[in-house]
Amino acid sequence: VIAPRSPAITAGHRATVLTVWLALLALAAVVIWRTPFVADLSAFLPAKPDARQQVLIEQLQSGVAARTLLIGIDGGDGEKGGEQRAAASRALATALRASGHFEQVQNGGDLGSAEGGFAAVGTWLFDHRYQLSPAVDATRFTAAGLRDGIAETLSLLGTPAGNAIKPLLERDPTGETQRIAEALIPASAPRTENGVWVSRQGQRAVLLANVAAAGADLDGQAAALAAVRKAFAEVAASGLVLRMSGAPVFSVDSRAQIESEVKFLALAGTLLMSTLLWLAFASLPALGVALLPVATGVLAGIAAVGLGFGSVHGVTLGFGSALIGEAVDYAIYYLIQAQRPAQAAGAGVQPGQPAAPGWQHWLRSSWPTVRLGLFTSVCGFVALAFSGFPGLAQLGVFSCAGLIAAALATRFVLPLLMPNGARGQGTRRRLGAVAGAAVAWLPRLRRPLQALGVVAVLALLWRHDTLWQSDLASLSPISAEALALDESLRADLTSSEGGALVVVQGPDVQGTLQRVEATASVLDGLVNRGVLAGYNSVTRWLPSEATQRQRINSLPEAEALRSALAQATAGGPLPASRLAPFLADVQAARQFAPVTQQDLQGTALAPLVEALLLERKDGSWAALLPLQGVTLSTTELRQALERPDNGVMLIDIKPELDRLYSRYLGEAQAQTLLGALGVVVLMALWLRSWRRLLAVCQPLVLAVALTLAGLALLQVQLSILHLVGLLLVVAVGSNYALFFDMLHQPAAEGRAGGGAGDADISRLDTLASLLLANLTTVLSFGLIALSTIPALSAIGRVVAPGALLALLLAAALARPHVSTTGVSRTS
Amino acid sequence: MLTGLLSGLLSGLLTGLLSRLASGLSVGRAGLLFCALWAALWSPAAWAFDLKELGALLGQQRNAEARFTEERFVSGLDQPLRSSGTLSFTAPDRFARQTLEPRAESMLVEGNNVTLKRGGRTRQMTLDAVPEATALLEALRGTLSGDLALLQKSYQTRLLGNATRWRLTLTPLAQRLGTQVKQLEIEGQGPNLKSVEVQLAGGDRSVMTIEPLASTGTPR
């Protein structure tokens, strides 16, 4: 930004600047109007994951997990509570199935009934048993194979299980249905009481529901949640309590929360700033003008994010309200510092008169410092803009664009509107006096503060390995209570610890299914060795066409089967004469075509297939095989499963996500350091003096160290967001330090317009503007520190105390006011 | 949280669908489990005439082993089905049944986990997901520990005979269990359990004869 040398503001110039400004604002407004507002979790997932993480993230964003709702029913009185909850569970499930909002509703009740289409699935599986049963191969229908199959089936007769098998005996003596059913038994299932699923202690009825609306359709998800609440209110006995969790709840709630909080923060922030500005200027026009750069900045920030990312995350907007505190500083500096010469020159000079307008004085004396402050801030935020987390990158872009726009508006628009700053005094004189007294006194604390800083640094070094949080949860906008409920409901429904997932990838559906079959046989071996409790696989009801053809081709002709059967049953308890239906079914099955994915569409199996077999964005396919009860180490499992070219990946979910987080934490640490380094380099270039650079950096380092130590004392573990906050402390604090550096330069320098007597007034005014700017920053970040959105409050809790410390330390550590120094500003 | 979303929701969904599916099929895990547990009931421990007395006696017993032979009478089959093998119990909650003839099979209950092995295949499942199986387990625990209250939670009990020759009849109270099992009849001589007869709701029945190994000291 190059300051114009011409002192006059012509009418033409004025009109041009205002027109350009308003046009840009209108353009930004149009961009914003067309930009969608999002509040889902995606901003907190990395943008450039590796192959393993990509699968996880696709699941989180659009997989079945994003549509699965966990429901719990608590309460009820004493002895009868269990039955009350069971009755409510049944009524709720019935109502939800009828509501049309859900693809599936399961509560463990009425198993085997026609509800939910599972009876139809049972029939379908039975009809296709000869292409689905893993036991069907060339030897299965020889005399020996038949004898073995029949003996296994008979071994269940005369037991309660036999009661279920007996009706099928004549059509399925070799027990293919059993083999299919057996494979579908889950290794861990919810506890059942009174005919419905309950928690392991039996104190809560639990249900699982799949929302029909897509995961990204938050309105659809919200409607489904409302349907659950409404249905529950209608069917549940009094005293029962509904609990809901899962991705739909998180997404819908966090959207509502973010929406209401953003409104609140924007309103409260504006009110707070207005109050402060009123106290400072006691002038409505001044207040209005001071808010213009802020409004410009916020509009530009949102528009830039909209252009860059295609959508704006709610958290970015919430953060924007804190940026008000930073952007308003420019206006404050301007309004106070542009005003002095006009007053000093006496009543003869009219505002707006070209003779000696205050803005020119400001342009010479303060703007370079403000501009440097802008550059340092932007330097910090640019580092964020390259973050691997879209959420953080949005904050970075928003802040850069917002601050630049606010500064430009201050530089070019404010001189047109208030060429001599704000005339109102308010309590500013007193503010200046207080600030002056404080600045005079604070240096006495210099030694103690430095000592404290050294202690803090040492303490941080000593505890450095426990300072950082090591999981992704810190980034999520979900509260700890909501997470605890989610965990308890999930434990009730699955009882499975940790989560390991095998992902099998292939170029097309059939290729993928064949690879899954190969992997499944390896997993079967592990199950038989007892090192794996079980796993799920799509090939249990959708084998590859090759496998199905192989099975169908292995079915013998009627005559061959008849003679083999006669041999197999000779002398046994089950006479061949009873098995004519079996012969007929096998002959019919020989004509069947392989089952395809399309055949399953619209059946109760479709959601299962959809959950376990996914088309990737690039057109390739991936099958998921969730593992249960793994006792092998990850390395051993990888060795057993993964080959260079078989498309198989083992994902150990928790460590994988932790690894992902630590990668991004490391990245963010590097980015933050680079950002801070950039700030220092900028200041060094500007100051061109090691001594002054050291003096400016010292309070920043101490502010960061003390803030960190304070957080550590409060047992707050640091996340990426705290790191962002620290970067902000450096970016904002550098402004304060630079102003003090400026104040301590010889009075004559850079202040051609002021006489010697003005120096003190100027100094007090600058101090007042600094104090005011600091107050606005501390208050606005203090406001978001109170936010219930963890991402925002983490930033607020670092910046609010950090910025205050930065100002106090800058004052305390400032070099004594000397009027003779060899250092001169050269820029 | 993300871990939860994936591992929890996904496996939760699958668990739900699968268990429903498995149960929706007429051959249910309930059945398989039943078979397993009901077998575990024939634990070798001796049953005394007075359950409380027996409980005190059995409470000291931490481990027990036995051989069994079983005959099942199934309507529609030409002959009864015969099998034999071993049973074992380790306090407090481990039961195993090994069928050796005519086909090798095994069932192991440890706490809430059940492991079944048939035809070279292994399956694991959760016990309390099937309340009927839990009821059978509680009957077993109740009997072995002499906890009459636990036993009477799920069954109506009737004790006939005297201390040297007795018969305990258990009739399920719960309707769900009642639709599968009509009655259990356990006969014993003194401290020794001699036979267990199970009458199924469909009219089929099985009789298991038990020879304790540990208590008689018979080498095997």
Side-chain angles (χ1 to χ4, degrees), chain B residues 90-127:
Chain B
T90 310
D93 58 4
R94 186 182 189 277
F95 308 94
R97 166 180 153 132
Q98 288 257 343
T99 307
L100 302 170
E101 295 291 332
R103 298 169 54 77
E105 275 177 26
S106 77
M107 179 278 313
L108 172 65
V109 186
E110 277 175 304
N112 197 29
N113 296 317
V114 182
T115 309
L116 293 180
K117 291 191 181 186
R118 312 180 65 219
R121 307 179 305 275
T122 307
R123 296 299 307 172
Q124 279 193 23
M125 59 196 83
T126 327
L127 181 62

mmCIF file of all heavy atoms in Angstrom, chain B residues 90-127:
data_model
loop_
_atom_site.group_PDB
_atom_site.id
_atom_site.type_symbol
_atom_site.label_atom_id
_atom_site.label_comp_id
_atom_site.label_asym_id
_atom_site.label_seq_id
_atom_site.Cartn_x
_atom_site.Cartn_y
_atom_site.Cartn_z
ATOM 1 N N THR B 90 -15.705 -75.181 35.374
ATOM 2 C CA THR B 90 -14.736 -74.520 36.239
ATOM 3 C C THR B 90 -15.409 -73.302 36.846
ATOM 4 O O THR B 90 -15.910 -72.449 36.108
ATOM 5 C CB THR B 90 -13.499 -74.072 35.440
ATOM 6 O OG1 THR B 90 -13.038 -75.172 34.666
ATOM 7 C CG2 THR B 90 -12.393 -73.590 36.349
ATOM 8 N N ALA B 91 -15.454 -73.252 38.170
ATOM 9 C CA ALA B 91 -16.105 -72.125 38.837
ATOM 10 C C ALA B 91 -15.380 -70.840 38.480
ATOM 11 O O ALA B 91 -14.166 -70.863 38.315
ATOM 12 C CB ALA B 91 -16.091 -72.338 40.346
ATOM 13 N N PRO B 92 -16.057 -69.725 38.345
ATOM 14 C CA PRO B 92 -17.492 -69.616 38.541
ATOM 15 C C PRO B 92 -18.313 -69.747 37.255
ATOM 16 O O PRO B 92 -19.485 -70.082 37.328
ATOM 17 C CB PRO B 92 -17.623 -68.188 39.079
ATOM 18 C CG PRO B 92 -16.523 -67.437 38.411
ATOM 19 C CD PRO B 92 -15.414 -68.431 38.200
ATOM 20 N N ASP B 93 -17.717 -69.497 36.085
ATOM 21 C CA ASP B 93 -18.609 -69.404 34.923
ATOM 22 C C ASP B 93 -18.034 -69.989 33.636
ATOM 23 O O ASP B 93 -18.263 -69.481 32.558
ATOM 24 C CB ASP B 93 -19.038 -67.954 34.704
ATOM 25 C CG ASP B 93 -17.839 -67.042 34.509
ATOM 26 O OD1 ASP B 93 -16.717 -67.571 34.464
ATOM 27 O OD2 ASP B 93 -18.026 -65.824 34.403
ATOM 28 N N ARG B 94 -17.261 -71.046 33.758
ATOM 29 C CA ARG B 94 -16.732 -71.642 32.533
ATOM 30 C C ARG B 94 -17.297 -73.051 32.368
ATOM 31 O O ARG B 94 -17.166 -73.882 33.260
ATOM 32 C CB ARG B 94 -15.208 -71.710 32.591
ATOM 33 C CG ARG B 94 -14.559 -72.190 31.314
ATOM 34 C CD ARG B 94 -13.048 -72.269 31.498
ATOM 35 N NE ARG B 94 -12.368 -72.525 30.239
ATOM 36 C CZ ARG B 94 -12.218 -73.738 29.722
ATOM 37 N NH1 ARG B 94 -12.711 -74.791 30.348
ATOM 38 N NH2 ARG B 94 -11.569 -73.888 28.582
ATOM 39 N N PHE B 95 -17.945 -73.278 31.239
ATOM 40 C CA PHE B 95 -18.519 -74.590 30.948
ATOM 41 C C PHE B 95 -18.020 -75.038 29.588
ATOM 42 O O PHE B 95 -17.906 -74.234 28.681
ATOM 43 C CB PHE B 95 -20.043 -74.526 30.859
ATOM 44 C CG PHE B 95 -20.684 -73.869 32.035
ATOM 45 C CD1 PHE B 95 -20.992 -72.518 32.001
ATOM 46 C CD2 PHE B 95 -20.974 -74.596 33.167
ATOM 47 C CE1 PHE B 95 -21.564 -71.904 33.081
ATOM 48 C CE2 PHE B 95 -21.550 -73.982 34.261
ATOM 49 C CZ PHE B 95 -21.847 -72.632 34.219
ATOM 50 N N ALA B 96 -17.749 -76.320 29.458
ATOM 51 C CA ALA B 96 -17.360 -76.829 28.152
ATOM 52 C C ALA B 96 -18.042 -78.160 27.905
ATOM 53 O O ALA B 96 -18.194 -78.960 28.814
ATOM 54 C CB ALA B 96 -15.842 -76.973 28.077
ATOM 55 N N ARG B 97 -18.479 -78.357 26.665
ATOM 56 C CA ARG B 97 -19.017 -79.658 26.264
ATOM 57 C C ARG B 97 -18.277 -80.062 25.007
ATOM 58 O O ARG B 97 -18.255 -79.325 24.023
ATOM 59 C CB ARG B 97 -20.514 -79.544 25.998
ATOM 60 C CG ARG B 97 -21.071 -80.761 25.267
ATOM 61 C CD ARG B 97 -22.548 -80.620 25.022
ATOM 62 N NE ARG B 97 -22.952 -81.387 23.843
ATOM 63 C CZ ARG B 97 -23.998 -82.214 23.830
ATOM 64 N NH1 ARG B 97 -24.766 -82.354 24.898
ATOM 65 N NH2 ARG B 97 -24.297 -82.864 22.742
ATOM 66 N N GLN B 98 -17.674 -81.243 25.071
ATOM 67 C CA GLN B 98 -16.950 -81.775 23.921
ATOM 68 C C GLN B 98 -17.680 -83.009 23.440
ATOM 69 O O GLN B 98 -17.737 -83.996 24.161
ATOM 70 C CB GLN B 98 -15.539 -82.208 24.348
ATOM 71 C CG GLN B 98 -14.585 -81.077 24.643
ATOM 72 C CD GLN B 98 -13.612 -80.868 23.497
ATOM 73 O OE1 GLN B 98 -13.469 -81.758 22.663
ATOM 74 N NE2 GLN B 98 -12.981 -79.714 23.444
ATOM 75 N N THR B 99 -18.232 -82.944 22.245
ATOM 76 C CA THR B 99 -18.836 -84.138 21.691
ATOM 77 C C THR B 99 -17.772 -84.849 20.875
ATOM 78 O O THR B 99 -17.148 -84.229 20.002
ATOM 79 C CB THR B 99 -20.024 -83.768 20.791
ATOM 80 O OG1 THR B 99 -20.898 -82.936 21.538
ATOM 81 C CG2 THR B 99 -20.775 -85.008 20.344
ATOM 82 N N LEU B 100 -17.539 -86.139 21.185
ATOM 83 C CA LEU B 100 -16.479 -86.857 20.476
ATOM 84 C C LEU B 100 -17.060 -87.762 19.397
ATOM 85 O O LEU B 100 -16.465 -87.945 18.341
ATOM 86 C CB LEU B 100 -15.653 -87.665 21.481
ATOM 87 C CG LEU B 100 -15.028 -86.807 22.595
ATOM 88 C CD1 LEU B 100 -14.433 -87.675 23.690
ATOM 89 C CD2 LEU B 100 -13.971 -85.878 22.016
ATOM 90 N N GLU B 101 -18.255 -88.340 19.669
ATOM 91 C CA GLU B 101 -18.904 -89.257 18.733
ATOM 92 C C GLU B 101 -20.327 -88.785 18.486
ATOM 93 O O GLU B 101 -20.968 -88.309 19.435
ATOM 94 C CB GLU B 101 -18.946 -90.686 19.325
ATOM 95 C CG GLU B 101 -17.594 -91.343 19.522
ATOM 96 C CD GLU B 101 -16.910 -91.695 18.218
ATOM 97 O OE1 GLU B 101 -17.644 -91.931 17.228
ATOM 98 O OE2 GLU B 101 -15.673 -91.676 18.170
ATOM 99 N N PRO B 102 -20.901 -88.859 17.350
ATOM 100 C CA PRO B 102 -20.301 -89.376 16.107
ATOM 101 C C PRO B 102 -19.474 -88.324 15.376
ATOM 102 O O PRO B 102 -18.718 -88.671 14.473
ATOM 103 C CB PRO B 102 -21.526 -89.747 15.271
ATOM 104 C CG PRO B 102 -22.575 -88.770 15.706
ATOM 105 C CD PRO B 102 -22.317 -88.502 17.150
ATOM 106 N N ARG B 103 -19.619 -87.050 15.724
ATOM 107 C CA ARG B 103 -18.846 -86.002 15.063
ATOM 108 C C ARG B 103 -18.223 -85.127 16.125
ATOM 109 O O ARG B 103 -18.843 -84.849 17.130
ATOM 110 C CB ARG B 103 -19.770 -85.111 14.209
ATOM 111 C CG ARG B 103 -20.487 -85.824 13.089
ATOM 112 C CD ARG B 103 -21.562 -84.934 12.491
ATOM 113 N NE ARG B 103 -21.018 -83.643 12.067
ATOM 114 C CZ ARG B 103 -20.320 -83.476 10.948
ATOM 115 N NH1 ARG B 103 -20.100 -84.492 10.157
ATOM 116 N NH2 ARG B 103 -19.859 -82.296 10.629
ATOM 117 N N ALA B 104 -17.021 -84.693 15.870
ATOM 118 C CA ALA B 104 -16.369 -83.821 16.845
ATOM 119 C C ALA B 104 -17.017 -82.435 16.815
ATOM 120 O O ALA B 104 -17.168 -81.834 15.746
ATOM 121 C CB ALA B 104 -14.882 -83.706 16.530
ATOM 122 N N GLU B 105 -17.434 -82.000 17.985
ATOM 123 C CA GLU B 105 -18.038 -80.672 18.125
ATOM 124 C C GLU B 105 -17.676 -80.155 19.492
ATOM 125 O O GLU B 105 -17.421 -80.946 20.398
ATOM 126 C CB GLU B 105 -19.569 -80.773 18.087
ATOM 127 C CG GLU B 105 -20.183 -80.790 16.719
ATOM 128 C CD GLU B 105 -21.681 -80.960 16.804
ATOM 129 O OE1 GLU B 105 -22.276 -80.579 17.854
ATOM 130 O OE2 GLU B 105 -22.249 -81.490 15.854
ATOM 131 N N SER B 106 -17.684 -78.845 19.660
ATOM 132 C CA SER B 106 -17.472 -78.364 21.020
ATOM 133 C C SER B 106 -18.175 -77.045 21.243
ATOM 134 O O SER B 106 -18.488 -76.314 20.300
ATOM 135 C CB SER B 106 -15.981 -78.199 21.313
ATOM 136 O OG SER B 106 -15.511 -77.021 20.706
ATOM 137 N N MET B 107 -18.450 -76.812 22.511
ATOM 138 C CA MET B 107 -19.114 -75.588 22.915
ATOM 139 C C MET B 107 -18.440 -75.141 24.197
ATOM 140 O O MET B 107 -18.188 -75.947 25.087
ATOM 141 C CB MET B 107 -20.586 -75.880 23.154
ATOM 142 C CG MET B 107 -21.418 -74.732 23.604
ATOM 143 S SD MET B 107 -21.300 -74.422 25.364
ATOM 144 C CE MET B 107 -21.510 -76.032 26.012
ATOM 145 N N LEU B 108 -18.109 -73.844 24.240
ATOM 146 C CA LEU B 108 -17.445 -73.327 25.431
ATOM 147 C C LEU B 108 -18.139 -72.028 25.838
ATOM 148 O O LEU B 108 -18.314 -71.131 25.014
ATOM 149 C CB LEU B 108 -15.970 -73.048 25.104
ATOM 150 C CG LEU B 108 -15.144 -72.321 26.154
ATOM 151 C CD1 LEU B 108 -15.006 -73.150 27.411
ATOM 152 C CD2 LEU B 108 -13.774 -71.974 25.591
ATOM 153 N N VAL B 109 -18.559 -71.975 27.120
ATOM 154 C CA VAL B 109 -19.137 -70.735 27.635
ATOM 155 C C VAL B 109 -18.173 -70.171 28.658
ATOM 156 O O VAL B 109 -17.812 -70.853 29.622
ATOM 157 C CB VAL B 109 -20.502 -70.968 28.321
ATOM 158 C CG1 VAL B 109 -21.137 -69.643 28.715
ATOM 159 C CG2 VAL B 109 -21.434 -71.744 27.411
ATOM 160 N N GLU B 110 -17.730 -68.939 28.420
ATOM 161 C CA GLU B 110 -16.871 -68.265 29.394
ATOM 162 C C GLU B 110 -17.468 -66.905 29.666
ATOM 163 O O GLU B 110 -17.462 -66.040 28.796
ATOM 164 C CB GLU B 110 -15.459 -68.099 28.835
ATOM 165 C CG GLU B 110 -14.598 -69.315 28.997
ATOM 166 C CD GLU B 110 -13.256 -69.146 28.310
ATOM 167 O OE1 GLU B 110 -13.251 -68.869 27.107
ATOM 168 O OE2 GLU B 110 -12.230 -69.274 28.987
ATOM 169 N N GLY B 111 -18.018 -66.716 30.858
ATOM 170 C CA GLY B 111 -18.674 -65.447 31.158
ATOM 171 C C GLY B 111 -19.807 -65.211 30.196
ATOM 172 O O GLY B 111 -20.713 -66.032 30.076
ATOM 173 N N ASN B 112 -19.720 -64.112 29.464
ATOM 174 C CA ASN B 112 -20.788 -63.761 28.528
ATOM 175 C C ASN B 112 -20.467 -64.207 27.100
ATOM 176 O O ASN B 112 -21.201 -63.916 26.180
ATOM 177 C CB ASN B 112 -21.023 -62.246 28.581
ATOM 178 C CG ASN B 112 -22.356 -61.849 27.974
ATOM 179 O OD1 ASN B 112 -23.314 -62.629 27.994
ATOM 180 N ND2 ASN B 112 -22.426 -60.659 27.414
ATOM 181 N N ASN B 113 -19.345 -64.906 26.934
ATOM 182 C CA ASN B 113 -18.938 -65.293 25.580
ATOM 183 C C ASN B 113 -19.142 -66.773 25.332
ATOM 184 O O ASN B 113 -18.830 -67.600 26.179
ATOM 185 C CB ASN B 113 -17.468 -64.942 25.348
ATOM 186 C CG ASN B 113 -17.246 -63.450 25.403
ATOM 187 O OD1 ASN B 113 -18.032 -62.683 24.844
ATOM 188 N ND2 ASN B 113 -16.210 -63.036 26.099
ATOM 189 N N VAL B 114 -19.651 -67.072 24.162
ATOM 190 C CA VAL B 114 -19.871 -68.458 23.778
ATOM 191 C C VAL B 114 -19.058 -68.737 22.524
ATOM 192 O O VAL B 114 -19.073 -67.942 21.589
ATOM 193 C CB VAL B 114 -21.369 -68.694 23.470
ATOM 194 C CG1 VAL B 114 -21.595 -70.154 23.114
ATOM 195 C CG2 VAL B 114 -22.228 -68.278 24.640
ATOM 196 N N THR B 115 -18.321 -69.846 22.533
ATOM 197 C CA THR B 115 -17.573 -70.250 21.349
ATOM 198 C C THR B 115 -18.058 -71.632 20.919
ATOM 199 O O THR B 115 -18.048 -72.561 21.707
ATOM 200 C CB THR B 115 -16.060 -70.310 21.652
ATOM 201 O OG1 THR B 115 -15.672 -69.077 22.251
ATOM 202 C CG2 THR B 115 -15.261 -70.528 20.374
ATOM 203 N N LEU B 116 -18.488 -71.716 19.670
ATOM 204 C CA LEU B 116 -18.968 -72.989 19.136
ATOM 205 C C LEU B 116 -18.017 -73.459 18.057
ATOM 206 O O LEU B 116 -17.581 -72.673 17.228
ATOM 207 C CB LEU B 116 -20.361 -72.816 18.518
ATOM 208 C CG LEU B 116 -21.519 -72.499 19.444
ATOM 209 C CD1 LEU B 116 -22.791 -72.360 18.633
ATOM 210 C CD2 LEU B 116 -21.679 -73.583 20.489
ATOM 211 N N LYS B 117 -17.710 -74.765 18.070
ATOM 212 C CA LYS B 117 -16.907 -75.328 16.980
ATOM 213 C C LYS B 117 -17.653 -76.517 16.417
ATOM 214 O O LYS B 117 -17.985 -77.443 17.140
ATOM 215 C CB LYS B 117 -15.531 -75.768 17.502
ATOM 216 C CG LYS B 117 -14.667 -74.610 17.903
ATOM 217 C CD LYS B 117 -13.235 -75.024 18.149
ATOM 218 C CE LYS B 117 -12.462 -73.770 18.561
ATOM 219 N NZ LYS B 117 -11.043 -73.992 18.694
ATOM 220 N N ARG B 118 -17.938 -76.442 15.124
ATOM 221 C CA ARG B 118 -18.603 -77.558 14.444
ATOM 222 C C ARG B 118 -17.982 -77.685 13.073
ATOM 223 O O ARG B 118 -17.756 -76.680 12.400
ATOM 224 C CB ARG B 118 -20.103 -77.269 14.254
ATOM 225 C CG ARG B 118 -20.825 -76.776 15.462
ATOM 226 C CD ARG B 118 -22.301 -76.538 15.129
ATOM 227 N NE ARG B 118 -22.963 -77.794 14.801
ATOM 228 C CZ ARG B 118 -23.865 -77.924 13.835
ATOM 229 N NH1 ARG B 118 -24.202 -76.912 13.096
ATOM 230 N NH2 ARG B 118 -24.429 -79.087 13.620
ATOM 231 N N GLY B 119 -17.748 -78.902 12.660
ATOM 232 C CA GLY B 119 -17.258 -79.153 11.308
ATOM 233 C C GLY B 119 -16.048 -78.304 10.938
ATOM 234 O O GLY B 119 -15.962 -77.805 9.822
ATOM 235 N N GLY B 120 -15.135 -78.084 11.902
ATOM 236 C CA GLY B 120 -13.932 -77.323 11.614
ATOM 237 C C GLY B 120 -14.140 -75.825 11.559
ATOM 238 O O GLY B 120 -13.247 -75.067 11.206
ATOM 239 N N ARG B 121 -15.341 -75.353 11.893
ATOM 240 C CA ARG B 121 -15.595 -73.914 11.886
ATOM 241 C C ARG B 121 -15.794 -73.410 13.309
ATOM 242 O O ARG B 121 -16.308 -74.126 14.149
ATOM 243 C CB ARG B 121 -16.849 -73.600 11.065
ATOM 244 C CG ARG B 121 -16.843 -74.181 9.675
ATOM 245 C CD ARG B 121 -18.106 -73.847 8.932
ATOM 246 N NE ARG B 121 -19.324 -74.238 9.624
ATOM 247 C CZ ARG B 121 -19.853 -75.455 9.551
ATOM 248 N NH1 ARG B 121 -19.236 -76.401 8.875
ATOM 249 N NH2 ARG B 121 -20.972 -75.735 10.185
ATOM 250 N N THR B 122 -15.387 -72.175 13.536
ATOM 251 C CA THR B 122 -15.508 -71.581 14.866
ATOM 252 C C THR B 122 -16.432 -70.377 14.799
ATOM 253 O O THR B 122 -16.333 -69.570 13.885
ATOM 254 C CB THR B 122 -14.124 -71.118 15.371
ATOM 255 O OG1 THR B 122 -13.234 -72.210 15.263
ATOM 256 C CG2 THR B 122 -14.206 -70.652 16.814
ATOM 257 N N ARG B 123 -17.349 -70.293 15.756
ATOM 258 C CA ARG B 123 -18.188 -69.101 15.839
ATOM 259 C C ARG B 123 -18.173 -68.603 17.266
ATOM 260 O O ARG B 123 -18.208 -69.394 18.206
ATOM 261 C CB ARG B 123 -19.658 -69.401 15.471
ATOM 262 C CG ARG B 123 -19.887 -69.831 14.069
ATOM 263 C CD ARG B 123 -19.489 -68.805 13.041
ATOM 264 N NE ARG B 123 -20.085 -67.495 13.257
ATOM 265 C CZ ARG B 123 -19.752 -66.422 12.566
ATOM 266 N NH1 ARG B 123 -18.835 -66.501 11.640
ATOM 267 N NH2 ARG B 123 -20.330 -65.278 12.803
ATOM 268 N N GLN B 124 -18.124 -67.268 17.402
ATOM 269 C CA GLN B 124 -18.247 -66.687 18.738
ATOM 270 C C GLN B 124 -19.525 -65.884 18.806
ATOM 271 O O GLN B 124 -19.950 -65.316 17.817
ATOM 272 C CB GLN B 124 -17.058 -65.768 19.026
ATOM 273 C CG GLN B 124 -15.841 -66.535 19.450
ATOM 274 C CD GLN B 124 -14.783 -65.636 20.041
ATOM 275 O OE1 GLN B 124 -15.094 -64.548 20.511
ATOM 276 N NE2 GLN B 124 -13.558 -66.099 20.009
ATOM 277 N N MET B 125 -20.143 -65.830 19.985
ATOM 278 C CA MET B 125 -21.339 -65.007 20.136
ATOM 279 C C MET B 125 -21.516 -64.576 21.581
ATOM 280 O O MET B 125 -20.784 -65.000 22.472
ATOM 281 C CB MET B 125 -22.564 -65.748 19.618
ATOM 282 C CG MET B 125 -22.834 -67.059 20.294
ATOM 283 S SD MET B 125 -23.972 -68.050 19.322
ATOM 284 C CE MET B 125 -22.841 -68.789 18.169
ATOM 285 N N THR B 126 -22.487 -63.689 21.762
ATOM 286 C CA THR B 126 -22.730 -63.121 23.088
ATOM 287 C C THR B 126 -23.874 -63.872 23.754
ATOM 288 O O THR B 126 -24.918 -64.093 23.142
ATOM 289 C CB THR B 126 -23.134 -61.642 22.954
ATOM 290 O OG1 THR B 126 -22.457 -61.089 21.845
ATOM 291 C CG2 THR B 126 -22.803 -60.876 24.196
ATOM 292 N N LEU B 127 -23.666 -64.231 25.010
ATOM 293 C CA LEU B 127 -24.670 -65.030 25.713
ATOM 294 C C LEU B 127 -25.938 -64.235 26.002
ATOM 295 O O LEU B 127 -27.054 -64.675 25.714
ATOM 296 C CB LEU B 127 -24.063 -65.561 27.014
ATOM 297 C CG LEU B 127 -24.960 -66.431 27.879
ATOM 298 C CD1 LEU B 127 -25.348 -67.690 27.137
ATOM 299 C CD2 LEU B 127 -24.259 -66.785 29.173
#
